[in-house]
Amino acid sequence: MSKGVVTPLASYIARKKVNTEDKHLQALKDEQLALWVADRAHWRDSCPMNADLADSLTLVPVTDDRVATATTDGRCIYFDARFSATLNAEHRRYLQAHLLWHCAFGYLLPNTQGHALWHLAWDHEINSLLLQQGYALPTSAVLFFAKVTRPAREVYDWLLTHPALEQELPTDRLWQECHTSLSSRSSCHDLDFELGTVNRQLTESWRSHTRMLANDYRCTQHLPAPIAERLRGL
C-alpha cells in the first residue's frame, strides 16, 4: 500500500496486452483513462485523503460486458470505457471515490450468504461518507435516508425486512459478481480485464492503510469529525 511506487497510467501501459480490438475502442479507453487520472489530480487539493487512497489502485479501462460499469479487486479499478463515456465529471468522480472507499473499509469480500444485501449496506455507508465529504450523489446512488450515517452492519440487519429491495440497484459491481456473470458468444471480453483474488489478508491490509491515513488527516479540514470517528472503529 505504499504511495508513489508507480503511477496508475504507467502501470496500466506496462501491463497492456497486444490485441486486435479496433482502434476506436482503444482510443475510447485511452480517452477515458486520461479523465480518471485527471480526477485523481483534482483530489490533491479538494480531497487529498481520497488522492492518497487512489495511489494504491491501478486504473484499468476495459470494454468488457462482465464489468458493465466498474469494479475493484483491491489492487485495480476496472471501469468499462463505454459506460464511463456516458458520465459527467461529477458522476465519474463519485464512482471512483465510491470504489476507493470499498477498498478503504475492506468492503470487498461479502459472506456467501446475503452478498446482495451486504453490497447494498456497504454502498449505503460509503455514500453517506461521500455526502459528508461534499460529493453530490447521482440519483441512482444507494442511500437509505432512514439510516444515514449508520454503519453497514446495522443497515444490513435493517434491510432483512426491507419491503422493496428490487428497487435498489448498485451502480458498481463487486469483483465476485463479475466472476459469476453469465456470458455468451456475443459477449465482449477484454484481455486487460484480469481480476485478482480477494482474501482476508488483503482487506485487513486496506483497513490498516486507511487507519494510517486517517491518523495523518485527523484534526484537519480534510477529514470531517464524523468520518474520523467512524474510522476509529476499523
Side-chain angles (χ1 to χ4, degrees):
M1 297 300 176
S2 58
K3 298 189 294 182
V5 178
V6 291
T7 65
L9 184 60
S11 179
Y12 166 67
I13 290 173
R15 57 175 292 197
K16 196 160 73 170
K17 294 179 173 58
V18 175
N19 57 48
T20 58
E21 70 181 358
D22 66 53
K23 292 181 179 180
H24 171 73
L25 285 181
Q26 186 57 57
L28 179 65
K29 288 165 67 172
D30 292 343
E31 172 190 84
Q32 293 303 310
L33 175 61
L35 292 174
W36 284 60
V37 170
D39 291 339
R40 293 182 169 195
H42 170 81
W43 287 332
R44 287 294 169 199
D45 293 324
S46 64
C47 200
M49 184 170 177
N50 285 7
D52 287 345
L53 289 169
D55 283 343
S56 296
L57 289 160
T58 300
L59 289 168
V60 183
V62 296
T63 51
D64 195 298
D65 293 337
R66 292 167 295 178
V67 181
T69 56
T71 190
T72 181
D73 59 3
R75 301 172 184 85
C76 298
I77 288 178
Y78 296 94
F79 61 93
D80 192 288
R82 298 164 298 182
F83 172 74
S84 177
T86 70
L87 306 178
N88 60 30
E90 198 170 64
H91 193 165
R92 189 182 61 246
R93 287 170 185 163
Y94 152 77
L95 181 57
Q96 185 174 180
H98 181 92
L99 292 167
L100 295 179
W101 281 94
H102 261 286
C103 297
F105 277 125
Y107 288 166
L108 298 169
L109 192 65
N111 295 327
T112 303
Q113 296 296 321
H115 81 271
L117 286 187
W118 277 115
H119 193 179
L120 290 174
W122 290 347
D123 278 9
H124 166 85
E125 182 175 6
I126 291 167
N127 290 338
S128 295
L129 176 147
L130 293 177
L131 274 179
Q132 295 174 75
Q133 285 190 334
Y135 284 81
L137 304 186
T139 56
S140 58
V142 173
L143 189 69
F144 305 106
F145 289 100
K147 292 293 180 180
V148 170
T149 76
R150 305 312 302 162
R153 175 161 291 280
E154 181 179 321
V155 175
Y156 175 85
D157 292 339
W158 177 75
L159 287 172
L160 292 172
T161 59
H162 193 289
L165 280 178
E166 68 279 358
Q167 298 177 12
E168 306 296 340
L169 295 173
T171 300
D172 62 315
R173 306 199 74 186
L174 297 181
W175 72 278
Q176 225 173 20
E177 295 166 347
C178 295
H179 270 305
T180 57
S181 293
L182 295 177
S183 60
S184 66
R185 291 183 179 180
S186 61
S187 296
C188 180
H189 286 193
D190 193 317
L191 292 176
D192 289 322
F193 184 43
E194 290 188 324
L195 276 176
T197 300
V198 176
N199 54 37
R200 298 294 176 190
Q201 182 178 359
L202 178 64
T203 58
E204 288 305 317
S205 294
W206 264 108
R207 290 188 181 105
S208 176
H209 182 59
T210 305
R211 287 193 297 269
M212 178 193 72
L213 288 177
N215 285 333
D216 289 344
Y217 286 104
R218 203 174 303 279
C219 300
T220 73
Q221 63 177 336
H222 299 299
L223 187 64
I227 299 177
E229 185 60 30
R230 170 64 184 88
L231 295 182
R232 290 180 191 274
L234 274 184

